[in-house]
Amino acid sequence: MYVTLRDQFVRQFVTEKELEAMRPEIAQAHEKIVKKNGAGSDFLGWKELPQAYDREEFARIAECAAYIRSHCDVFIAIGIGGSYLGARAVIEFLRSPYHNELRKDGPAIYFAGNSISASGLCELVKLCEGKDVCINVISKSGTTTEPAVAFRVFHKMLVDKYGEEEARRRIFVTTDKARGTLKQFADKKGYQTFVVPDDVGGRYSVLTPVGLLPIAVAGIDIKALMEGAACAMKELSSPDIDKNGAYRYAAIRNALYRKGKVNEILVSYEPYGQLFNEWWKQLFGESEGKDGKGIFPVSVVFSTDLHSLGQYIQQGERIMFETVLNVKDGENRFLIPNDPNNIDGLNFLSGMDLNDVKVTAMNGTLLAHTDGQVPNIVLDVSERSERSLGYLIYFFELACAVSGYVLGVNPFDQPGVEAYKKNMFALLGKPGYEEQQKELQKRIK
Ligand code: PA5
């Protein structure tokens, strides 16, 4: 058990009776997942993935990652949304946000195609000057604007720099197994391809080649990551919220939502958790925010944000609850030095491990926020490791699916994402959008 839910800071907000009332709803949602008869059930592939993944492809990922690690200075993962957040989250969580500066071997890892920024792209291109580069374009559809534009740029860079033959050894494509122009293009050019499974949506895809290749390039043990997820799959199989922490989490957050707590803040106490927060926000935001419903997912890193958003959380509108990730991280100790002059008056901390100060800050904040009428769910993560993170990923994926069904939405589609795309294409003059273009132009004049 790598993740344990503590609800002592929630009990005053959700009564035992209210939690009891959630049991049948959670059990029904569980049935939908097990029997695969709920909305979006074609996208339940993530559920068995930790055990049922393609072993041959997994071995090829490890091989390619080893090749990439010894053949380039810079590795660029090109993708957006579910095709990028998971990999970046895992790399930062297990390595460091400073991974590129601290690494002892392997390439620096950068992410492209996740914004529409000329500056971002120009800076990254510049950074590649004089360096050996490998790229991995990751796009299930193969036609998403942001990664497609970035791929044009870096594909040309590699072909111009190395010629077609050597570029072929440096370009890796993760996309649909058969459909789409990217797959056709990769096959035509002879690039190594990896499959985004049909039954796994973008935001649930971190444990597929989408996430695993970049993660393995960072030197992370992807087998252990999968083992952690497999452990969660085994342990979180009961429909009973007393035996299944992910379901208990789903039950509590839905009970809070019904009481007007419409925002959930995921709290990390470590800067290396920042990108994991982003992954979690996409998972829950895209899964639940539809049909005029859904908890709005927000995130913070404490203590940093206690000095900014902390004020609002303590005393602003009482519309939120917090979910605190308490990662037991004893990897690095940092003893606070003594100052003979005690200029800052903090000598009472001299010799203390900063990890202990952090835990004390967390406990103080849990009490303060609870006193301020903000319910707090605590998820104790037993260690900072591949296994615990694999477990946590699966924990949230499962909780998210069940939560979505309890909320009464399809947790696996994202129809709302298309609205901006249609307008953007129309305004940019994409063929076939002529009528919309005229209408939209009138509205923005
Ligand atoms: O979760 C999702 O489905 C989205 O975030 C997609 O992953 C994202 O839009 C990228 O899509 P694609 O992989 O087709 O380029």
Side-chain angles (χ1 to χ4, degrees):
M1 180 94 69
Y2 291 97
V3 178
T4 316
L5 185 145
R6 251 192 300 147
D7 60 10
Q8 73 195 92
F9 301 103
V10 171
R11 281 191 212 128
Q12 70 190 84
F13 305 98
V14 179
T15 64
E16 211 38 61
K17 209 171 145 207
E18 284 164 337
L19 211 50
E20 278 303 308
M22 296 300 304
R23 281 182 195 271
E25 293 186 55
I26 294 284
Q28 272 172 21
H30 171 80
E31 283 290 289
K32 284 185 182 162
I33 291 175
V34 172
K35 293 194 174 146
K36 300 190 174 176
N37 60 9
S41 58
D42 288 348
F43 289 93
L44 282 167
W46 55 271
K47 173 90 179 29
E48 312 296 327
L49 200 60
Q51 277 174 6
Y53 62 89
D54 181 338
R55 271 27 185 206
E56 183 275 326
E57 189 176 46
F58 192 83
R60 208 155 50 79
I61 289 173
E63 252 173 52
C64 285
Y67 179 88
I68 292 167
R69 280 172 65 73
S70 57
H71 283 81
C72 64
D73 314 305
V74 170
F75 171 73
I76 300 176
I78 301 170
I80 195 165
S83 291
Y84 124 88
L85 279 166
R88 189 159 177 194
V90 171
I91 293 169
E92 292 208 2
F93 192 101
L94 293 176
R95 285 287 179 257
S96 164
Y98 306 119
H99 169 69
N100 289 343
E101 291 77 20
L102 290 173
R103 75 191 198 283
K104 293 194 179 72
D105 49 23
I109 300 175
Y110 296 97
F111 294 87
N114 53 61
S115 67
I116 306 179
S117 164
S119 298
L121 206 48
C122 285
E123 285 156 15
L124 201 49
V125 165
K126 204 158 186 201
L127 201 142
C128 292
E129 276 170 21
K131 308 257 172 59
D132 274 322
V133 180
C134 287
I135 64 174
N136 176 205
V137 59
I138 308 158
S139 179
K140 189 172 185 172
S141 63
T143 53
T144 308
T145 311
E146 293 89 338
V149 169
F151 183 53
R152 285 183 176 208
V153 172
F154 289 104
H155 178 263
K156 184 172 183 315
M157 176 199 276
L158 263 63
V159 172
D160 288 350
K161 185 174 166 126
Y162 298 108
E164 290 279 356
E165 205 181 319
E166 175 60 16
R168 192 170 300 131
R169 289 190 276 270
R170 294 178 175 273
I171 297 172
F172 301 84
V173 177
T174 308
T175 189
D176 192 89
K177 74 169 183 302
R179 283 173 306 223
T181 45
L182 186 56
K183 173 66 180 159
Q184 283 166 20
F185 179 71
D187 286 348
K188 195 172 128 214
K189 292 281 188 180
Y191 300 149
Q192 280 260 11
T193 59
F194 297 95
V195 175
V196 187
D198 281 344
D199 56 358
V200 181
R203 58 190 175 274
Y204 289 84
S205 70
V206 53
L207 300 178
T208 73
V210 168
L212 293 177
L213 180 58
I215 291 169
V217 171
I220 290 167
D221 182 350
I222 53 173
K223 192 161 169 280
L225 191 71
M226 295 306 278
E227 282 167 6
C231 178
M233 184 180 154
K234 205 166 139 228
E235 288 184 6
L236 304 173
S237 57
S238 166
D240 184 346
I241 60 171
D242 293 333
K243 296 186 185 135
N244 186 328
Y247 285 4
R248 191 168 187 84
Y249 170 58
I252 294 171
R253 61 196 296 286
N254 272 286
L256 289 168
Y257 177 61
R258 288 173 195 182
K259 302 179 108 173
K261 302 291 186 187
V262 294
N263 296 325
E264 177 177 10
I265 308 173
L266 187 70
V267 181
S268 170
Y269 270 84
E270 291 286 353
Y272 61 67
Q274 189 162 3
L275 258 292
F276 186 80
N277 285 356
E278 297 303 317
W279 171 82
W280 172 89
K281 282 196 286 202
Q282 190 207 359
L283 179 65
F284 279 87
E286 244 179 21
S287 299
E288 293 190 321
K290 54 197 71 158
D291 306 337
K293 298 189 264 193
I295 298 170
F296 185 66
V298 190
S299 71
V300 291
V301 176
F302 287 167
S303 68
T304 314
D305 292 325
L306 283 171
H307 297 258
S308 60
L309 288 176
Q311 169 59 38
Y312 191 105
I313 298 169
Q314 190 68 47
Q315 294 182 325
E317 282 222 55
R318 306 296 73 195
I319 51 172
M320 80 279 277
F321 63 98
E322 291 173 293
T323 296
V324 178
L325 286 185
N326 175 31
V327 183
K328 194 156 183 273
D329 181 1
E331 193 184 320
N332 294 300
R333 274 166 64 79
F334 188 98
L335 301 185
I336 297 174
N338 188 55
D339 173 9
N341 298 317
N342 197 20
I343 295 170
D344 49 20
L346 290 175
N347 267 358
F348 66 97
L349 297 177
S350 299
M352 266 183 93
D353 183 353
L354 207 52
N355 284 316
D356 296 332
V357 178
K358 177 188 77 178
V359 172
T360 311
M362 183 188 75
N363 286 332
T365 307
L366 282 167
L367 293 170
H369 287 185
T370 310
D371 290 346
Q373 300 308 301
V374 178
N376 268 257
I377 302 166
V378 181
L379 296 177
D380 291 313
V381 181
S382 61
E383 59 191 33
R384 180 191 184 191
S385 71
E386 279 90 343
R387 284 188 177 77
S388 69
L389 188 56
Y391 193 108
L392 186 62
I393 286 168
Y394 192 88
F395 178 102
F396 277 136
E397 287 178 347
L398 183 63
C400 184
V402 164
S403 270
Y405 281 144
V406 168
L407 189 67
V409 299
N410 176 349
F412 306 112
D413 67 357
Q414 55 284 329
V417 178
E418 297 309 313
Y420 100 90
K421 286 188 196 168
K422 279 187 199 146
N423 287 353
M424 181 179 75
F425 288 143
L427 288 166
L428 286 169
K430 186 173 176 175
Y433 287 78
E434 291 76 9
E435 278 312 305
Q436 291 100 310
Q437 185 182 33
K438 278 186 219 150
E439 277 169 38
L440 293 173
Q441 275 173 342
K442 268 188 234 152
R443 286 174 56 197
I444 53 170
K445 262 189 189 142

